[in-house]
Amino acid sequence: MLETLRHIVQEVNAAAGLEEALQIIVRRVRAAMNTQVCSVYLRDPSSGRYVFRATQGLNPEQVGLASLAASDGLVGLVAERGEPVNLEDAESHPRFRYLPGIGEEHFHAFLGVPIIHQRGVLGVLVVQQAESRRFDESDEAFLVTLSAQLAGVIAHAQVTGVLVTQALTGTAPAKITGVPGAPGVAIGTVVVVSPGADLYAVQPREAADKRKEVRAFREALQSVQKDIKMVARNLGGELSPEDHALFDVYVSILDDSTIGAEVVGLIKAGQWAQGALSQVMIEHIRHFERMEHSYLKERAVDVRDLGTRVLAYLQAANQEPRVYPDQTILVGEELTATSLGEIPREKLVGLISVRGSGNSHVAILARAMGVPTVMGAVDLPYAKLQDREVIIDGYNGTVHINPLPEIKQRFQRVLDEDNALSRDLESLRDVPCVTLDGQRMPLWVNTGLMVDVTRSLGQGAEGVGLYRTEVPFLLRDRFPSEEEQRQIYREQLEAFAPKPVTMRTLDIGGDKALPYFPIEEENPFLGWRGIRVTLDHPEIFLAQVRAMLKANEDLGNLRIMLPMVCNTSEVDEALDLIHRSHRELAQDGLTGALPPIGVMIEVPAAVYQARALARRVDFISVGSNDLTQYLLAVDRNNSRVAHLYHSLHPAVLQALAYVATASQAEGVPISICGELAGDPGGAVLLLAMGYNSLSMNATSLLKVKKALLNLRRSEARSLLKEVMGLDCAQEVNARLERFLTEHGMAKFIHSPVA
Ligand code: PEP
Ligand code: MG
C-alpha cells in the first residue's frame, strides 16, 4: 500500500495543472481500491458549493456543472464534519440527496473523506460501489492518508492554476497570502531575480527566426556535451568503467538523433528554442517519473538536469543587460542579501520571497532598509510574473496581482498616509526620547549593510545596539582578511562616533550560511552556530576581534557582543581570547582601553543563567528573535508555522521580564536588539520592564519614539501588570492595540485593506 500511495502522490506532484492532477487522482484511486467509482468534489470559494470536478465511473459530462450546497447531501456531510463517512447503503441515509445527471443511482456503497489543507476543507474525495458493501477500515485509512498528502498539492494547484490562466489573459485579479516581512505598502512592477534556468517556467513563444533558433539550440547542446565530457575527463582515475559509461549515456541522450531531433522538429514547426526544449524535456521527465521501476524513475532526475543545463546556455546567450523599472518589486524563490545589493536602492520599492518568514535575515535587512516585504508566498508562481504590476501589503503579508482599480486606489491611499506619517515623524528626529514623566530611553539601531548607516543617522539613532558583522562576510566569496575587516569596522565606528557601536562577533550557522564555508546539518538551528563556530575556530575569532580593536583606535566607541551563548564557559573562553588579543596589540603599541564586552541572551538556557552571565560581562542584550524561536520551538524561517511565532507570547514576555530583573540584580545594563524592540506596543512593555535601551531597525525608530513620548512610565507599568496576566499572544496583542489607540497612535495599527 505504501508503494501505491507514494506513486500516486509522485504522479500527482508531477502533473501540469489542477485538472491533470484531479484526473490522475480519480484514475489511480479507483484502480488501487478496486472500486467502480472515484470522484473529487472541490469547494468553490465564491459560492461555497462543492463542485463535481473529476470522476472515473460517473457521468464525465457533468464535471464542472453539477454541484452541492455545503449543507446538502453526503458530500456536504463529509465536509461539514471534516471526517470520513462510510455507508453500506447511501440512499437510506437521511442526508442523501439525489444529484440528477451524474449517474450515481446505481451505486450503493459510499466512502467519502474530506480534503483538508491548513484546517480548511478544500473538497471531498469519494469512492462508490454498486453492490452494498461496507468499505473496510484499511480502505478508509488508505483514502484518509492519501487525501492528507494530496491536500497541499491540490491547494497549490488551485491557486497557481487560476494564476496561470490570469497570466495568459492578463486581466483577472488574484490575491496570494504569505507572511509579513517588512511593513509598508508598495505598488510596482515585478523583476524576477535570476530564478536559474527552470524548464517549467519557460513560456511558449513563436520563433522569430527558425534557423537562428536551431543554431542556438545546437550550440547550447554542444556546450553541454563538451561540459559533460570535461567533467568525465577531470574525474578521470576516480571513475570506474561503468561510471564512464554513464557519462557516455548522458552525452547520447542529448544526441541529435534522439531528444535533440525532437526539439529541432518543434523549432522547425515554429516554436522558439527555449519553448521547444522545455516542452520536449518535460514530456520525457514525466515519462520517466511514471515508470514503476525505481532505477528508471531516477533517470527523470538526469533528464531534468541535462535539460536545465542546455536551457541555461540558451538563456545566457539571450541575456540582455537588466533594466530595472522605477518602481521595482524584486521577486525570488529565496531572496538573499546579495540579491538586494544588485539593484539601485532608489528603484527598489518592494520585495517578495517565496520562501522564508518574517524573521528570516533577508526580512530583517528589508526592515532596516525600509522596503515593504512579503515572505513565504509559497503559492506564488513567481517565475511567471516578470513585468507584471503587483501590490504588496507588507503589514499583512499579501500580494495582489492584476489589482482592480478600486483596490489600487485604496492601497495608494495607505501609501500616501504612510508617507505623510513619515514626514510627521521626521520632526522627532532630534527630540530626545523621554516619557511624559521624565524616563529617558535611548533608542539605538541595528545595522549590517552600509546603507543602514546613513538611514540610521537620518532617523536620529543614538548608537548601534547590534552591528551584524556576518553581513559583510555574506557579501563576499571568501573570509575577509583582518585588514579588510578593520576597514569595514572602522567605517561603522567612524560614522557613529562618539556614539557607541555594538559589534557582534561572527554569528553564522542556522539560516546564515556563508557560500564559501557551508555548514550542512540535519538541524542547523540546534547545531553549529554563533559562538560555537567561532570558539572552534579561534583563528577566525581572533582575526575578527583584532580587526575590531584596531578599528577602535582613537575612537573608543566600540562594544563587543557574543551571540548564541548557552554556557558560562563559552563566555570565559571568549573573554580570554579577547583579553589576549587586546594585550598583544597593546604590546605592539595599540592604545585604547579594553572595550565593554556583552552577551546576547538568545536561548532559554541563557535566560535562566542570566545572573551568572551578567556577572562576567559589562552589558546584556536580549536577542528576542532567536529567543522566541527557541522558547516556542518555532523555526523562524518556516512559513508553515509562522502563525505560531509570537514575540508577544506570554512565555516570551515572562522570559524578557526575568532577564531584566536578573541583570538589574547584578547592576548590569540591559538592552534588547530583537525585532520586538521596534514594535511600538512591545517597546512600551520593555520600558515598563526596566530595559535601559532599545535597539531596532532604523525604519521603526521614530514610531517607537513617538509611542514613548506619549506616555508615562507609570501607565506602561500598569499595562505590563495587566498584560502579564493574559493567557495568549492574541490577547496581549489586542490589549496593546487598545492601549495605542487610547494614546492616539491608531495609525501604527494596520488592518488588511483588501
Ligand atoms: C536575535 O536573535 O534576536 C538577534 C538580534 O539576532 P539575529 O536576528 O541576527 O539572529
Ligand atoms: Mg540571533
Side-chain angles (χ1 to χ4, degrees):
M1 246 351 181
L2 184 62
E3 268 298 281
T4 317
L5 259 173
R6 215 161 53 84
H7 283 158
I8 299 178
V9 175
Q10 269 175 355
E11 223 181 289
V12 172
N13 264 319
L18 181 61
E19 301 313 318
E20 189 179 326
L22 297 180
Q23 273 313 316
I24 296 169
I25 293 171
V26 290
R27 182 168 42 81
R28 297 283 267 131
V29 170
R30 188 171 80 149
M33 293 187 67
N34 195 19
T35 177
Q36 289 160 323
V37 174
C38 179
S39 314
V40 176
Y41 298 77
L42 289 187
R43 186 173 178 278
D44 172 21
S46 53
S47 65
R49 293 178 71 84
Y50 286 86
V51 182
F52 181 57
R53 287 294 298 271
T55 190
Q56 281 276 305
L58 297 183
N59 181 6
E61 283 173 13
Q62 284 296 314
V63 164
L65 301 176
S67 69
L68 286 154
S71 54
D72 241 2
L74 294 171
V75 166
L77 181 66
V78 175
E80 199 175 282
R81 294 172 38 142
E83 272 187 328
V85 170
N86 187 356
L87 302 168
E88 206 169 313
D89 180 19
E91 275 152 87
S92 60
H93 192 281
R95 277 290 290 263
F96 177 81
R97 162 134 139 55
Y98 177 65
L99 195 56
I102 67 167
E104 59 178 345
E105 49 276 20
H106 318 293
F107 302 101
H108 301 290
F110 173 100
L111 169 61
V113 300
I115 305 169
I116 300 180
H117 179 63
Q118 290 175 345
R119 303 184 185 195
V121 178
L122 293 181
V124 176
L125 181 57
V126 176
V127 287
Q128 289 169 287
Q129 185 86 21
E131 69 269 17
S132 290
R133 137 189 185 190
R134 195 171 163 82
F135 287 98
D136 66 23
E137 258 185 42
S138 66
D139 292 327
E140 202 174 307
F142 173 79
L143 214 55
V144 168
T145 316
L146 186 71
S147 163
Q149 290 205 43
L150 292 177
V153 187
I154 292 177
H156 183 74
Q158 255 180 329
V159 182
T160 51
V162 172
L163 283 170
V164 170
T165 324
Q166 284 161 351
L168 295 177
T169 61
T171 51
K175 176 175 160 186
I176 300 278
T177 305
V179 288
V185 159
I187 304 176
T189 310
V190 168
V191 170
V192 177
V193 178
S194 54
D198 179 358
L199 290 167
Y200 294 84
V202 176
Q203 299 285 353
R205 193 193 289 174
E206 222 173 281
D209 179 341
K210 291 182 200 166
R211 270 215 241 148
K212 215 166 129 194
E213 292 292 299
V214 170
R215 204 177 327 121
F217 169 65
R218 291 222 163 98
E219 278 167 18
L221 207 59
Q222 279 163 10
S223 304
V224 174
Q225 286 173 330
K226 219 190 289 165
D227 288 350
I228 294 171
K229 283 180 192 158
M230 195 160 75
V231 173
R233 216 176 311 123
N234 288 349
L235 288 173
E238 294 170 42
L239 290 182
S240 65
E242 295 90 81
D243 291 334
H244 261 296
L246 197 64
F247 279 96
D248 294 340
V249 172
Y250 283 177
V251 173
S252 67
I253 289 180
L254 294 175
D255 210 309
D256 240 8
S257 60
T258 52
I259 288 181
E262 283 178 54
V263 177
V264 171
L266 277 183
I267 299 175
K268 286 186 176 157
Q271 188 55 247
W272 70 318
Q274 293 187 34
L277 173 77
S278 101
Q279 190 179 326
V280 170
M281 294 317 267
I282 290 172
E283 270 165 29
H284 282 271
I285 293 166
R286 288 227 182 96
H287 174 71
F288 279 111
E289 278 174 345
R290 286 201 189 111
M291 294 195 172
E292 291 293 323
H293 196 294
S294 64
Y295 175 81
L296 290 174
K297 203 187 266 296
E298 287 299 313
R299 300 287 65 78
V301 178
D302 300 332
V303 175
R304 185 192 297 244
D305 176 52
L306 289 171
T308 308
R309 283 167 186 269
V310 180
L311 183 64
Y313 270 105
L314 277 175
Q315 290 181 338
N318 264 8
Q319 209 136 63
E320 285 154 23
R322 173 153 275 175
V323 184
Y324 291 100
D326 283 343
Q327 309 280 311
T328 295
I329 294 188
L330 215 53
V331 181
E333 171 139 34
E334 190 152 32
L335 292 179
T336 59
T338 332
S339 48
L340 299 196
E342 278 167 13
I343 163 167
R345 175 65 189 90
E346 68 282 4
K347 298 211 165 185
L348 180 65
V349 296
L351 296 171
I352 309 172
S353 182
V354 172
R355 299 231 215 130
S357 84
N359 298 289
S360 304
H361 283 91
V362 67
I364 289 175
L365 285 181
R367 284 198 284 274
M369 292 166 71
V371 182
T373 299
V374 172
M375 302 289 295
V378 287
D379 288 325
L380 196 76
Y382 72 101
K384 298 198 167 85
L385 290 181
Q386 181 70 24
D387 297 331
R388 212 147 262 283
E389 180 179 57
V390 301
I391 296 178
I392 63 178
D393 176 352
Y395 294 116
N396 297 290
T398 53
V399 179
H400 298 258
I401 302 164
N402 297 335
L404 293 171
E406 60 266 30
I407 300 286
K408 196 169 156 187
Q409 263 167 22
R410 268 190 256 165
F411 276 108
Q412 187 61 52
R413 227 173 293 137
V414 177
L415 202 56
D416 296 342
E417 282 166 16
D418 279 359
N419 289 337
L421 179 64
S422 304
R423 279 195 299 276
D424 268 8
L425 291 175
E426 269 168 32
S427 61
L428 299 180
R429 209 195 91 132
D430 299 317
V431 175
C433 183
V434 184
T435 61
L436 292 174
D437 51 355
Q439 175 67 42
R440 176 94 173 81
M441 174 62 92
L443 300 184
W444 293 6
V445 278
N446 298 343
T447 58
L449 296 169
M450 212 46 215
V451 293
D452 298 340
V453 175
T454 351
R455 262 185 73 73
S456 306
L457 290 167
Q459 308 286 307
E462 297 174 68
V464 176
L466 165 64
Y467 169 56
R468 290 184 166 94
T469 58
E470 57 281 359
V471 176
F473 278 68
L474 282 165
L475 300 176
R476 286 185 159 61
D477 54 9
R478 58 171 173 79
F479 282 113
S481 68
E482 188 175 316
E483 176 51 20
E484 281 170 327
Q485 290 187 56
R486 189 196 65 77
Q487 286 172 17
I488 299 168
Y489 303 155
R490 179 83 189 174
E491 231 178 321
Q492 278 280 324
L493 291 168
E494 269 177 350
F496 285 91
K499 298 182 180 103
V501 174
T502 313
M503 296 201 169
R504 173 169 74 184
T505 60
L506 192 62
D507 183 20
I508 50 169
D511 66 333
K512 287 179 283 194
L514 300 176
Y516 47 88
F517 190 66
I519 300 173
E520 292 196 0
E521 294 178 319
E522 285 274 308
N523 211 339
F525 278 108
L526 298 185
W528 206 41
R529 21 170 345 194
I531 194 132
R532 301 173 185 178
V533 178
T534 44
L535 286 180
D536 285 351
H537 276 282
E539 77 288 8
I540 296 175
F541 188 79
L542 285 167
Q544 184 172 39
V545 169
R546 272 198 305 268
M548 287 178 184
L549 294 173
K550 285 183 191 165
N552 191 35
E553 178 139 51
D554 316 323
L555 291 173
N557 57 337
L558 168 71
R559 297 163 21 118
I560 297 180
M561 184 160 79
L562 308 170
M564 274 299 291
V565 167
C566 293
N567 299 287
T568 54
S569 60
E570 290 160 345
V571 180
D572 294 336
E573 284 171 48
L575 286 174
D576 272 354
L577 292 172
I578 298 172
H579 291 163
R580 192 178 106 193
S581 302
H582 185 255
R583 239 185 356 257
E584 285 170 4
L585 286 172
Q587 277 160 11
D588 290 346
L590 183 100
T591 55
L594 186 72
I597 301 169
V599 157
M600 287 186 81
I601 306 284
E602 301 188 271
V603 297
V607 170
Y608 293 110
Q609 284 213 287
R611 286 192 72 159
L613 293 169
R615 281 197 290 275
R616 288 168 160 78
V617 291
D618 305 304
F619 65 93
I620 291 278
S621 182
V622 179
S624 55
N625 305 337
D626 276 312
L627 186 58
T628 303
Q629 144 164 283
Y630 292 119
L631 269 177
L632 304 185
V634 176
D635 178 347
R636 62 193 270 185
N637 273 312
N638 184 342
S639 50
R640 193 180 279 175
V641 288
H643 62 289
L644 297 174
Y645 183 100
H646 290 294
S647 291
L648 291 171
H649 188 291
V652 180
L653 295 181
Q654 298 284 354
L656 291 168
Y658 184 92
V659 178
T661 312
S663 313
Q664 284 148 10
E666 294 297 334
V668 171
I670 174 138
S671 158
I672 175 166
C673 57
E675 292 297 300
L676 181 64
D679 172 52
V684 175
L685 298 182
L686 294 162
L687 166 87
M689 287 177 193
Y691 277 73
N692 304 111
S693 59
L694 308 177
S695 188
M696 65 202 73
N697 64 71
T699 314
S700 304
L701 197 139
L702 293 177
K703 283 187 206 165
V704 168
K705 191 186 279 190
K706 173 94 180 160
L708 299 186
L709 287 175
N710 264 353
L711 55 87
R712 293 172 192 286
R713 190 168 178 208
S714 51
E715 286 174 290
R717 282 199 174 131
S718 53
L719 175 73
L720 177 66
K721 206 159 154 214
E722 207 186 311
V723 159
M724 287 308 229
L726 299 175
D727 288 343
C728 66
Q730 288 74 11
E731 286 177 13
V732 175
N733 208 28
R735 181 65 192 96
L736 290 183
E737 286 191 357
R738 198 146 45 85
F739 183 88
L740 291 177
T741 310
E742 286 160 6
H743 284 76
M745 285 174 285
K747 280 186 199 144
F748 295 162
I749 303 163
H750 294 275
S751 321
V753 173

